[in-house]
Amino acid sequence: MGVQRSRRTAAVVLAGAMAVAGVGLLAPAHAAERNQAETEQSASFERGHSSKPPPKQPTATGYGGAVATVDADATAAGLQVLRRGGTAVDAAVAAAAALGVSEPFSAGIGGGGFFVHYDAKTGEVSTLDGRESAPATATEQRFIDPATGAPLAFADARVSGLSVGTPGTLATWAEALDRWGRFGLARNLRPAIELAEDGFVVDETFRSQVAANAAIFADFPATAELYLPGGGPPAVGTVLPNPDLADTYRQIARRGIDVFYEGPIADEIAATVQDPPVRDGATRNVRPGDLTTGDLAGYEVIERDPTVVEYRGLQVYGMPPPSSGGSTVGEALNILENFDLGAMDEAQALHHYMEATALAFADRNRYVGDPDVIDVPLAELLSQGFADERACLLDPDAAAPKPVAPGVPDGDYSGECATAPDPAAVADEGSTTHLTTADRWGNVVAYTLTIEQTGGSGITVPGRGFLLNNELTDFNFAPTQGNAPDPNLPGPDKRPRSSMAPTIVLDGDGDPLLAVGSPGGATIIGTVLQTLVNRIDLGMDLPEALAAPRLFQPNAVNTSAEPAIDGGPLGVILESQYGHTLAPTPEIGAATGIEFLGRHRLQAVAEPVRRGGGSAAVLRPRR
Ligand code: GLU
């Protein structure tokens, strides 16, 4: 069901008792053993006009509302809105808008995302699909080079107009605020406007992201002007404003989102995509795209029923297709439900997690794509019967040779271990951001947004201060499924398959217990799943579950493994005893989450180390 962009009247959520979540169903958390600095937040956390970044810490516990993002300025923006009486949705939008300033390579109004909301008043979980869509003129041949008949190299596809989908982020904010916000877009944009005017302080993560993209950014004067001041990456400690984005946000605040989808900004986006503004003398072949003002004017945010599976007595809600996040995390949990992970040693539990992920990925690759274009057997993929059939392929003692074949989600699960022919592997990784918010009424938001690769297409809309996404490279460039149809080839108005997995877990009484999510392309699914297993099965509290070293097995020969596993005794056991092949990866994901500790107590959690550490805050800190 399409939702008209933002013309609905607001159904304001103000009331509703704060949900009190029980944790009785979970394995006991050994919080006392935690070795994490938990410096409490104070009111002075809110951003002032200094050139110092606000302080940040990865964990905050207390009352009245919570925000967890990857960035201290964004968390401060969300907290400011909560303090003034905003809902979790107001806070999520304020934080996301600030991320467009200080995390512009992962998020912004040039991109899209998926928004999951728990409504404390009704107990309902809803989702908004704000995924970028392909232009009406897109075909399956989109990323095939007509000169060679072969798929374009990824980098050539990425840095082009062809990769740019119609952005959905701004429409998502407007729709979410319309439904569940207390303040309008204009008010929620204020902290971000202030941040864009004053500037934020460049940290090492930001500097290194610019450095990795410097050659691309240098080819687009509008991008270079913003992010290569003086011709190179800004030094750590530099204060970087974005007056163009402040002005764009101000125009949106004044005139509404139509200025973006149907007004002058729409004209400029289409012109930029169709004729990418490359610097004189650049040798890069930047292929033009076909996004039109008609595509922008026709964009719709889509409300979709969340995915839900029951796991160890909890209800795990996620994002349905076109994201594969909810279905793949859900299927893997259903597979794992067949095994008592809590009774296993760490290596054995991780082996089960890896094998379940591989099986679920085979099914994701074969069956999941845009449900408005292809037929996705979602109910079957999420059924316990299908998962049980898949689980019989999981050898508790040995890794299966990869890739494993997809299953047959046909409703008949009487045959032993049925598989379909022609397995195929997967690969996609990029950059994104996840934020989690909760308010005093008990409403919760898990929101993952992206412009795809770190730095998106590299193309900034001149004078507007935001980068355009390269989300359409999330389509498969050529068929991947042998003789079976590929669910994720490009097509007109189609939304590329995502891995984003904003997740909300309710307890047996239907009260919120956890909300989590992460960036990381396909690895998102592993990060979310492993965090849930760590928390629900392995006795870790949420800060531990997020910080624990990660593995990712996307139905490929190699399992990506962070150094703490790859270089340690656990890695040795997984390889020598279980037959896995680990491939070192410096880090996987950058998660955030919130846990409801009971009696209105909240714990906001961000990464202590990955991507330079995230930022968690609560409105009224108390241990
Ligand atoms: N474009 C990716 C997806 O939608 C996300 C990229 C990332 O998280 O790094 O799955």
Side-chain angles (χ1 to χ4, degrees):
M1 65 221 96
V3 169
Q4 276 310 311
R5 259 199 328 272
S6 73
R7 303 199 175 86
R8 300 167 66 261
T9 354
V12 181
V13 178
L14 283 178
M18 174 78 181
V20 180
V23 289
L25 287 160
L26 297 181
H30 35 98
E33 290 163 30
R34 199 172 66 246
N35 185 18
Q36 208 139 33
E38 192 174 318
T39 319
E40 298 293 355
Q41 295 282 10
S42 74
S44 66
F45 186 92
E46 283 187 21
R47 191 171 178 281
H49 288 264
S50 86
S51 62
K52 273 193 169 164
K56 66 175 180 184
Q57 63 276 316
T59 303
T61 308
Y63 298 88
V67 183
T69 81
V70 299
D71 178 74
D73 285 304
T75 294
L79 200 66
Q80 181 179 323
V81 164
L82 284 182
R83 192 180 302 287
R84 297 190 177 147
T87 65
V89 171
D90 292 305
V93 170
L99 288 169
V101 181
S102 54
E103 285 279 324
F105 310 134
S106 299
I109 56 176
F114 296 103
F115 197 97
V116 181
H117 179 256
Y118 169 80
D119 187 325
K121 199 172 174 187
T122 63
E124 222 180 290
V125 178
S126 313
T127 82
L128 296 177
D129 164 1
R131 184 69 159 169
E132 299 91 332
S133 53
T137 42
T139 70
E140 273 189 19
Q141 302 298 307
R142 186 169 193 81
F143 294 113
I144 302 296
D145 185 347
T148 63
L152 291 174
F154 181 83
D156 294 342
R158 173 198 167 190
V159 186
S160 81
L162 291 172
S163 69
V164 182
T166 307
T169 289
L170 198 52
T172 306
W173 297 351
E175 184 59 36
L177 291 172
D178 228 16
R179 288 167 181 251
W180 308 295
R182 192 174 173 206
F183 307 148
L185 191 53
R187 187 156 170 196
N188 286 316
L189 286 176
R190 264 186 227 156
I193 292 171
E194 192 181 303
L195 183 63
E197 273 168 352
D198 295 351
F200 65 95
V201 182
V202 170
D203 63 9
E204 177 49 29
T205 304
F206 187 93
R207 192 209 62 78
S208 67
Q209 289 177 338
V210 177
N213 277 288
I216 295 169
F217 290 177
D219 277 350
F220 299 97
T223 310
E225 194 190 317
L226 265 175
Y227 300 122
L228 297 171
V236 171
T238 308
V239 177
L240 209 61
N242 187 340
D244 288 346
L245 185 58
D247 186 57
T248 301
Y249 278 166
R250 241 188 261 106
Q251 290 194 33
I252 293 164
R254 257 200 312 270
R255 297 165 59 189
I257 66 167
D258 282 354
V259 69
F260 183 94
Y261 285 100
E262 295 178 43
I265 302 177
D267 296 342
E268 291 167 39
I269 291 172
T272 303
V273 171
Q274 290 171 24
D275 186 12
V278 182
R279 79 174 157 85
D280 289 342
T283 54
R284 188 185 302 276
N285 178 7
V286 182
R287 292 167 175 79
D290 47 347
L291 189 78
T292 65
T293 52
D295 292 316
L296 283 147
Y299 185 81
E300 286 183 349
V301 173
I302 301 172
E303 181 187 6
R304 299 189 188 275
D305 290 339
T307 60
V308 59
V309 298
E310 196 178 306
Y311 185 65
R312 317 271 191 227
L314 307 171
Q315 296 160 54
V316 181
Y317 285 87
M319 196 65 219
S323 184
S324 60
S327 67
T328 314
V329 169
E331 181 188 335
L333 288 174
N334 282 341
I335 293 172
L336 292 173
E337 187 96 279
N338 285 274
F339 305 94
D340 185 2
L341 301 186
M344 295 178 186
D345 66 38
E346 198 177 0
Q348 203 180 11
L350 287 174
H351 163 70
H352 280 73
Y353 149 72
M354 290 151 79
E355 293 297 281
T357 317
L359 289 163
F361 255 88
D363 299 321
R364 163 210 192 255
N365 297 344
R366 168 60 69 82
Y367 299 111
V368 181
D370 183 341
D372 295 336
V373 179
I374 61 147
D375 198 11
V376 182
L378 184 61
E380 294 303 331
L381 289 174
L382 288 169
S383 71
Q384 192 59 53
F386 179 60
D388 295 348
E389 185 173 86
R390 300 296 277 152
C392 83
L393 289 167
L394 198 163
D395 183 337
D397 301 315
K402 308 291 184 311
V404 296
V408 187
D410 59 359
D412 173 8
Y413 306 120
S414 50
E416 278 286 284
C417 300
T419 58
D422 300 324
V426 64
D428 75 82
E429 244 180 89
S431 188
T432 298
T433 194
H434 178 80
L435 60 95
T436 317
T437 61
D439 62 30
R440 67 190 71 179
W441 299 282
N443 304 302
V444 187
V445 171
Y447 181 29
T448 314
L449 62 162
T450 186
I451 59 172
E452 217 301 281
Q453 287 287 294
T454 305
S457 64
I459 306 170
T460 296
V461 180
R464 295 300 186 181
F466 64 91
L467 283 156
L468 290 168
N469 69 82
N470 67 301
E471 213 70 51
L472 302 188
T473 60
D474 272 359
F475 284 121
N476 293 333
F477 291 11
T480 61
Q481 297 298 305
N483 295 328
D486 187 310
N488 190 37
L489 292 172
D493 297 318
K494 194 171 172 183
R495 298 181 182 205
R497 179 176 61 210
S498 170
S499 300
M500 291 190 271
T503 302
I504 294 180
V505 181
L506 306 185
D507 67 13
D509 297 327
D511 292 327
L513 184 56
L514 289 176
V516 289
S518 177
T523 71
I524 292 170
I525 289 166
T527 295
V528 168
L529 184 60
Q530 200 181 346
T531 304
L532 293 176
V533 166
N534 286 345
R535 176 67 192 96
I536 296 170
D537 293 302
L538 304 188
M540 299 183 203
D541 64 14
L542 191 58
E544 289 168 329
L546 240 92
R550 293 186 184 132
L551 292 159
F552 176 57
Q553 172 37 263
N555 195 23
V557 174
N558 291 339
T559 298
S560 309
E562 291 187 331
I565 292 178
D566 182 54
L570 207 49
V572 172
I573 298 173
L574 287 169
E575 292 200 309
S576 64
Q577 210 167 305
Y578 290 92
H580 291 281
T581 308
L582 303 186
T585 310
E587 61 181 41
I588 299 174
T592 67
I594 292 177
E595 177 153 350
F596 297 78
L597 298 171
R599 303 197 177 158
H600 302 216
R601 204 156 148 261
L602 298 161
Q603 186 167 51
V605 186
E607 297 280 0
V609 177
R610 295 181 185 96
R611 285 214 196 161
S615 173
V618 293
L619 207 54
R620 290 201 310 282
R622 202 129 16 107
R623 274 178 197 278

